[in-house]
């Protein structure tokens, strides 16, 4: 039988390490593009202040990048240690984009980041600018390939189960590459990273202004960040709508759970802005609904219906029954590969094999599953509705707040008043953690909303884990907590140190352009 404790500990360990790693990813994405913009202005204007701006934010980018690499590598090893059957079952597909990410994107990013730091006095202006944009390109390509892999987990296309090898195999790599879910997730995720980078620059620059230092540096940094942040925040909301639409097409249960939509509503469905989902009674109490909105977002029509949770559960019961037939036929094929009747039955029901595997939680004899076991397995396809309902709304609330914040910042920038209102500067500092919170909430919605699957509709989570004991998992989990806690202390120490030092670290002769001693990163970066 399944060791549920081991499975949950494996999920906890991977969830903690993945979410910790993602603390570094958004800032890497956002700052990489901002560095390219800052240096482009320097090359176009020839003004040395923009060079110093690029070098200072580049220093903070480098600290964050190093921590991201350290946490990302350890995370990927868990596919082999904690999720061995997952790696066996879908490794031929999932491993391809990960390998390309390492060979193409990470090597590109890691190679040119050295030239970025040490090439200021060795490369021409244009040469160094090309290097900076290649670092940004590498960062974004890295996100692309990772999200292609993750998008396939959400919407598995371009692959088929081979009963001879008992594994999923690629049938059409272009479908994997151009998976609509992966593309929607990529543009939404990188836009969120750009917002994070813009908020980071705004917050640190605002802190400088509140301290009455480095005014010219801070104003210029905030001006670029305000424009970039506004465009990015608008993109996050617009592209998030695209993610919602793809979910309505490919992950209907996730969307229904996010909306706490228990029954199918008449089209166009309303959006529940507020309420208290009751998972036991299958109702949402004290709901405040906005007519038509969910139907328009989810179907982009006024007559398309969004199925509710309970009808989806009923449909899944039929898919589980079909999966039982596929499972039985597969068992016959394993013993008699030339059995044409069994192969015909299997091919007719293979798309529901994953649903049949849900019964392995309740019985080892899937073909003899009782109606009660099928009913329990069908309800297992419903994720945690209250958790998804509230995390989604908190994430969306953050998104609209960012639009308002950057719109006001852009207006202040256009009026040359960025340093006029101390309340706004204090607000910019206080909201620094907010984009990270929004990003983590977004990943919770994406990943927890896929449960009970590691590969949606293909492989249940509880079957994906390695055969490890709870004791081993507690030991490795404790090791990760200690290791990552040390990294967190190092990250915070270095970031706070260089933020406090500011652009005038390693003080030298005063720079008229900066209004303060200039920063030499070749010295201060040691």
């Amino acid at each position: 039988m399944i060791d549920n404790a081991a499975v949950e500990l494996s999920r906890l360990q991977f969830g903690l390490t993945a979410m910790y790693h993602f603390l570094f990813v958004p800032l890497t994405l956002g700052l990489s593009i901002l560095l390219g913009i800052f240096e482009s202005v320097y090359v176009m204007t020839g003004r040395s202040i923009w060079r110093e701006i690029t070098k200072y934010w580049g220093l903070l980018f480098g600290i964050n990048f190093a921590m991201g690499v350290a946490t990302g590598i350890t995370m990927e090893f868990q596919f082999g240690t904690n999720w061995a059957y997952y790696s066996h079952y879908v490794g031929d597909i999932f491993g391809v984009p990960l390998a390309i990410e390492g060979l193409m994107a990470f090597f590109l990013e890691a190679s040119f980041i050295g030239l970025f730091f040490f090439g200021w006095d060795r490369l021409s202006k244009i040469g160094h600018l090309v290097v900076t944009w290649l670092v940004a390109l590498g960062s974004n390509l890295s996100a692309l390939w990772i999200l292609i892999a993750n998008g396939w987990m959400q919407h598995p296309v371009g692959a088929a189960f081979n009963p001879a090898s008992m594994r999923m195999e690629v049938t059409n790599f272009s479908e994997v590459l151009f998976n609509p879910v992966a593309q929607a997730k990529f543009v939404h995720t990188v836009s969120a990273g750009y917002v994070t980078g813009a908020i980071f620059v705004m917050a640190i620059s605002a802190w400088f202004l509140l301290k009455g230092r480095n005014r010219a540096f801070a104003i210029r940094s905030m001006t670029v960040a305000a424009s970039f942040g506004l465009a990015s925040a608008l993109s996050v909301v617009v592209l998030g709508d695209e993610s919602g639409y793809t979910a309505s097409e490919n992950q209907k249960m996730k969307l229904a759970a996010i909306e706490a939509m228990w029954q199918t509503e008449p089209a166009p469905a309303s959006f529940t802005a507020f309420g208290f989902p009751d998972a036991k009674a299958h109702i949402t109490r004290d709901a405040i609904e906005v007519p038509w909105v969910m139907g328009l977002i989810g179907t982009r029509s006024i007559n398309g219906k969004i199925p509710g949770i309970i009808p989806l559960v009923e449909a899944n019961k039929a898919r589980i029954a079909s999966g039982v037939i596929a499972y039985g036929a597969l068992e016959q094929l394993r013993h008699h590969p030339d059995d044409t009747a069994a192969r015909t039955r299997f091919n007719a029901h293979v798309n529901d094999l994953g649903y049949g595997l849900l019964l392995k939680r309740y019985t080892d004899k899937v073909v003899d599953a009782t109606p009660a076991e099928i009913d329990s397995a069908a309800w297992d396809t419903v994720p945690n509705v209250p958790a998804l309902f509230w995390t989604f709304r908190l994430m969306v609330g953050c998104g609209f707040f960012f639009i308002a914040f950057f719109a006001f910042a852009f207006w202040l920038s256009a009026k040359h008043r960025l340093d006029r209102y101390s309340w706004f500067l204090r607000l910019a500092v206080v909201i620094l953690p907010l984009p990270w919170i929004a990003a983590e909430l977004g990943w919770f919605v994406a990943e927890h909303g896929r449960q009970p699957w590691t590969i949606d509709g293909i492989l249940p989570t509880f079957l994906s884990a390695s055969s490890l004991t709870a004791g081993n998992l507690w030991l490795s989990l404790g090791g990760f907590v200690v290791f990552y806690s040390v990294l967190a202390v190092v990250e915070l120490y270095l970031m706070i140190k260089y933020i406090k030092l500011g652009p005038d670290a390693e003080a030298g002769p005063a720079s008229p352009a900066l209004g303060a001693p200039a920063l030499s990163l070749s010295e201060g970066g040691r």
Side-chain angles (χ1 to χ4, degrees), residues 51-363:
R51 172 184 165 112
E52 301 305 324
I53 287 173
T54 307
K55 292 176 76 173
Y56 177 70
W57 295 115
L59 171 61
L60 301 184
F61 169 83
I63 295 169
N64 185 78
F65 176 80
M67 295 297 172
V69 171
T71 55
I73 291 174
T74 56
M75 185 181 69
E76 290 195 11
F77 277 116
Q78 290 179 76
F79 290 120
T81 58
N82 292 46
W83 302 97
Y85 190 69
Y86 169 87
S87 299
H88 164 78
Y89 200 73
V90 300
D92 285 355
I93 308 150
F94 187 79
V96 173
L98 292 186
I100 296 175
E101 186 270 337
L103 292 171
M104 176 197 288
F106 180 72
F107 283 177
L108 174 67
E109 184 181 23
S111 298
F112 283 98
I113 198 169
L115 289 174
F116 171 82
F117 284 112
F118 302 111
W120 282 102
D121 299 320
R122 294 173 174 84
L123 300 172
S124 66
K125 284 184 178 181
I126 297 296
H128 195 277
L129 177 62
V130 170
V131 164
T132 303
W133 279 111
L134 284 173
V135 170
L137 176 63
S139 299
N140 284 263
L141 282 177
S142 180
L144 172 64
W145 289 108
I146 293 297
L147 290 167
I148 285 173
N150 183 266
W152 188 82
M153 295 171 69
Q154 310 285 343
H155 179 46
V157 293
F161 180 79
N162 184 345
S165 63
M166 295 294 290
R167 303 173 68 184
M168 295 291 292
E169 297 177 356
V170 176
T171 58
N172 190 329
F173 184 68
S174 65
E175 289 186 8
V176 177
L177 182 60
F178 297 107
N179 186 340
V181 173
Q183 302 305 316
K185 285 175 70 67
F186 169 68
V187 292
H188 183 61
T189 301
V190 296
S191 296
Y194 300 160
V195 169
T196 304
I199 289 284
F200 183 78
V201 170
M202 291 285 293
I204 306 307
S205 300
W207 184 78
F208 289 147
L209 291 175
L210 288 170
K211 294 294 182 181
R213 52 184 286 199
N214 307 109
R215 181 181 181 279
F217 172 95
I219 290 292
R220 284 166 174 80
S221 296
M222 290 184 79
T223 298
V224 173
S227 303
F228 181 67
L230 178 59
S232 301
L234 289 169
S235 297
V236 168
V237 173
V238 172
L239 298 170
D241 169 71
E242 179 65 23
S243 293
Y245 178 69
T246 57
S248 73
E249 292 286 307
N250 307 304
Q251 293 182 292
K252 298 181 187 298
M253 183 63 81
K254 176 190 286 188
L255 185 63
I258 287 171
E259 290 306 310
M261 187 181 295
W262 301 99
Q263 297 288 352
T264 303
E265 295 184 11
S270 59
F271 172 77
T272 305
F274 181 86
F276 297 97
D278 187 332
K280 292 183 178 180
H282 301 159
I283 59 173
T284 301
R285 304 184 188 279
D286 303 319
I288 299 175
E289 298 181 341
V290 183
W292 287 38
V293 172
M294 194 61 240
L296 295 174
I297 293 174
T299 67
R300 294 180 179 171
S301 70
I302 60 173
N303 55 10
K305 290 187 177 182
I306 298 177
I309 293 172
I310 294 174
L312 287 171
V313 169
E314 292 301 316
N316 288 341
K317 289 180 184 179
R319 296 200 68 176
I320 291 170
S322 174
V324 170
I325 297 173
Y327 187 90
L330 180 61
E331 287 289 291
Q332 287 183 279
L333 285 173
R334 292 180 65 186
H335 295 96
H336 306 285
D338 298 326
D339 188 334
T340 55
R343 186 169 296 278
T344 300
R345 285 199 309 278
F346 177 77
N347 290 337
H349 297 275
V350 64
N351 290 336
D352 296 323
L353 176 62
Y355 285 83
L357 294 176
L358 290 170
L359 290 166
K360 297 285 270 185
R361 182 186 291 274
Y362 302 98
T363 177

Side-chain angles (χ1 to χ4, degrees), residues 399-452:
F400 282 107
F401 170 79
F402 294 144
I403 292 175
F405 173 81
F406 281 118
F408 186 64
F410 182 78
W411 180 81
L412 291 178
S413 173
K415 297 293 184 180
H416 304 287
R417 298 177 183 175
L418 275 170
D419 59 343
R420 181 168 297 185
Y421 304 106
S422 59
W423 67 266
F424 175 76
L425 299 176
R426 287 194 291 270
L427 176 65
V429 174
V430 168
I431 66 169
L432 178 58
L434 208 54
W436 278 275
I437 294 172
E440 298 290 359
L441 290 173
W443 274 109
F444 180 86
V445 170
E447 299 307 300
H448 193 72
R450 192 184 63 241
Q451 295 306 311

